[in-house]
């Protein structure tokens, strides 16, 4: 098999700040906490970091979507990078930051890349009504949202609700099956001391929760938080003898084909199959080899679609796969979203899923630890699509 760039790169350190809604600390303070934790976890010093990477870079802090950028971190930590970058929204989603860092490391442009993602959406909502509005404000919208807002789609929720409705129509997905994703997430969050919502919920609680946009209820939607997650990436052959086993990046996927979320040809699919197929084409591993899965759950319908796209079940079978949570529990055939995911632990925008995948591979999951995992998969998004296969070794 070809020596793809990602196979030359490993995650050698991870860090995460406190997660809350809202935080008492500034977004920059949370970012520094996460970054210093990741650097120390890698057995390095800030002076060892010569690359800095983020998604999507510093953005308008009014929404809290990305309040901290690479230059903020560079100055706060006194870094002197030879390479720095951020990836924009028009990319393979949150995972694109990993993919760009991989290329820089494989090209030997840098040795140690600090990669982070910070959100301050909870504080933004506390500061101003409508701060979570996508694509602008209550006065003006732009980008792709200018075409959606006139039809009542002022946030992603009604957009994804259309896909959920069509999926239910085509495959007979029941509210109880969809709700199993949320109930499972809350069960896992109860074992995660850094999760936002830890009290258990039942399927009856789910069905009684407020309808946001039919058929998506409140518990189908992720939880805006303040928090930061960071990683240190290095080339495998230059990582040396660090304090942790290396988490190798076995394969990545970012392919986008005709259709997808913005130009749908199939309203039961977001187009993640192309990214997943690319990932599996770059490894000898198969879906059956995955020991733990951290599946993107910005909305619960996204989780069902990704399960199918990644090959863990057939088309239209995801509802039955997650029903009652037995097959996705800690002792099930595919332990899933063991942190509580974005539905209960908090919306760290995909980076939380990758952090949890690393925790599991390192055996640091505590009460939610899966038994001796060797292979993990993590993925992000529906607008920008990316997935990554990680192995311990």
């Amino acid at each position: 098999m070809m020596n793809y760039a990602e196979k030359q790169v490993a995650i050698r350190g991870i860090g995460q700040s406190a997660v809350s809604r809202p935080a008492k600390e500034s977004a920059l303070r949370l970012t520094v906490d996460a970054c210093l934790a990741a650097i120390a976890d890698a057995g390095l010093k800030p002076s060892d970091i010569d690359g800095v990477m983020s998604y999507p870079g510093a953005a308008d802090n009014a929404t809290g979507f990305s309040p901290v950028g690479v230059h903020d971190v560079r100055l706060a930590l006194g870094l002197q990078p030879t390479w720095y970058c951020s990836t924009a929204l028009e990319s393979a989603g949150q995972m694109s930051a990993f993919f760009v860092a991989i290329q820089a490391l494989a090209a030997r442009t840098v040795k140690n890349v600090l990669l982070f993602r910070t959100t301050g959406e909870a504080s933004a909502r506390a500061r101003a009504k409508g701060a979570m509005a996508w694509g602008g404000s209550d006065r003006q919208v732009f980008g792709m949202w200018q075409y959606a807002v006139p039809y009542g789609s002022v946030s992603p929720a009604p957009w994804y609700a259309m896909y959920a409705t069509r999926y239910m129509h085509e495959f007979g997905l029941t509210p109880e099956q969809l709700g199993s994703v949320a109930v499972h997430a809350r069960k896992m969050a109860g074992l995660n001391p850094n999760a936002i919502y830890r009290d258990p919920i039942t399927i009856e609680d789910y069905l009684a929760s407020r309808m946001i946009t039919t058929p998506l209820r409140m518990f189908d939607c992720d939880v805006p938080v303040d928090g930061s997650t960071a990683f240190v990436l290095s080339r495998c052959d230059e990582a040396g003898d660090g304090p942790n086993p290396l988490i190798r990046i076995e394969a990545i996927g970012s392919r986008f084909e005709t259709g997808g979320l913005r130009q749908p040809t199939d309203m039961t699919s977001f187009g993640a199959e192309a990214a997943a197929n690319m990932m599996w084409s770059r490894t000898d591993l198969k879906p059956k080899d995955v020991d733990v899965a951290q599946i993107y759950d910005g909305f619960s319908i996204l989780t069902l679609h990704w399960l199918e796209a990644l090959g863990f079940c057939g088309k239209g079978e995801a509802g039955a796969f997650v029903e009652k949570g037995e097959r996705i529990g800690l002792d099930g055939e595919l332990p899933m979203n063991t942190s509580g995911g974005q539905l209960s632990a908090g919306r760290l925008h995909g980076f939380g899923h990758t952090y949890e995948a690393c925790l599991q591979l390192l055996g640091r999951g505590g009460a939610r630890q899966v038994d001796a995992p060797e292979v993990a998969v993590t993925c992000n998004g529906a607008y920008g699509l990316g997935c990554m296969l990680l192995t311990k070794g």
Side-chain angles (χ1 to χ4, degrees):
M1 178 173 291
M2 292 180 63
N3 187 25
Y4 293 113
E6 64 265 30
K7 297 182 187 298
Q8 304 171 39
V9 177
I11 298 171
R12 65 188 298 190
I14 61 175
Q16 190 173 88
S17 72
V19 179
S20 56
R21 47 180 284 132
K24 296 179 180 179
E25 302 83 0
S26 69
L28 182 57
R29 176 72 261 174
L30 296 175
T31 308
V32 167
D33 288 348
C35 290
L36 288 177
I39 293 169
D41 189 52
L44 299 174
K45 304 182 296 296
S47 58
D48 295 316
I49 300 298
D50 57 354
V52 186
M53 183 75 211
S54 185
Y55 169 90
D60 179 9
N61 197 28
T63 67
F65 183 70
S66 183
V68 178
V70 295
H71 289 294
D72 300 313
V73 169
R74 173 182 66 84
L75 294 170
L77 297 183
L79 305 179
Q80 297 183 16
T82 58
W83 176 88
Y84 48 92
C85 187
S86 63
T87 53
L89 293 172
E90 291 190 325
S91 64
Q94 305 90 306
M95 205 70 75
S96 62
F98 284 89
F99 300 165
V100 174
I102 286 168
Q103 297 300 326
L105 286 160
R108 298 187 184 274
T109 304
V110 284
K111 290 186 176 181
N112 301 303
V113 175
L114 175 65
L115 191 158
F116 70 92
R117 170 84 172 99
T118 301
T119 63
E121 292 177 321
S123 289
R125 293 184 70 177
R127 288 193 301 267
K129 181 181 179 181
M132 287 295 293
W134 283 63
S137 66
D138 57 357
R139 294 175 178 267
Q140 182 181 10
V141 293
F142 48 86
M144 63 183 180
W145 292 100
Q146 65 186 303
Y147 305 109
V149 168
Y151 297 95
S153 183
V154 296
S155 76
W159 198 357
Y160 298 138
M162 293 191 298
Y163 285 82
T165 298
R166 189 64 190 181
Y167 189 98
M168 286 180 162
H169 173 77
E170 292 288 344
F171 302 115
L173 175 71
T174 68
E176 290 80 3
Q177 289 174 329
L178 184 62
S180 293
V181 177
V183 173
H184 167 76
R186 188 61 65 87
K187 181 179 179 180
M188 293 295 97
L191 304 175
N192 177 7
N194 211 26
I196 292 297
Y197 293 127
R198 302 184 64 202
D199 293 336
I201 59 173
T202 65
I203 197 66
E204 289 75 24
D205 294 327
Y206 166 83
L207 293 172
S209 67
R210 180 164 57 96
M211 187 68 74
I212 301 300
T213 174
T214 306
L216 301 180
R217 293 171 164 83
M218 180 176 67
F219 291 134
D220 289 309
C221 307
D222 61 12
V223 181
V225 297
D226 296 342
S228 184
T229 308
F231 305 86
V232 173
L233 276 62
S234 305
R235 284 181 58 92
C236 297
D237 59 4
E238 295 180 344
D241 297 324
N244 306 315
L246 293 181
I247 297 174
R248 297 177 181 271
I249 302 176
E250 171 67 17
I252 62 174
S254 61
R255 183 177 178 183
F256 218 122
E257 295 179 345
T258 301
L261 195 62
R262 294 184 66 179
Q263 189 186 33
T265 56
D266 176 0
M267 288 293 290
T268 68
S269 169
F270 303 109
E273 292 86 354
N277 290 341
M278 173 183 167
M279 184 187 76
W280 292 121
S281 74
R282 298 166 76 88
T283 178
D284 290 329
L285 295 174
K286 306 297 180 187
K288 63 181 177 59
D289 297 313
V290 174
D291 299 309
V292 60
Q294 309 300 337
I295 307 296
Y296 194 73
D297 57 347
F299 295 91
S300 52
I301 187 63
L302 297 176
T303 306
L304 299 186
H305 175 61
W306 268 111
L307 282 169
E308 295 177 357
L310 289 164
F312 294 119
C313 55
K315 183 73 173 178
E317 297 176 359
F321 188 87
V322 302
E323 191 169 12
K324 298 182 179 179
E326 295 176 357
R327 298 172 74 178
I328 56 175
L330 292 180
D331 298 322
E333 63 187 84
L334 185 70
M336 185 185 84
N337 292 1
T338 49
S339 69
Q342 300 192 154
L343 297 181
S344 286
R347 172 187 155 87
L348 293 168
H349 212 215
F351 274 49
H353 286 300
T354 303
Y355 178 82
E356 179 69 14
C358 294
L359 273 186
Q360 289 290 332
L361 292 176
L362 293 170
R364 302 181 191 171
R368 65 187 189 275
Q369 179 64 48
V370 174
D371 184 28
E374 298 289 334
V375 181
V377 69
T378 178
C379 58
N380 67 244
Y383 168 52
L385 298 163
C387 48
M388 188 160 61
L389 200 62
L390 305 175
T391 61
K392 178 182 177 180

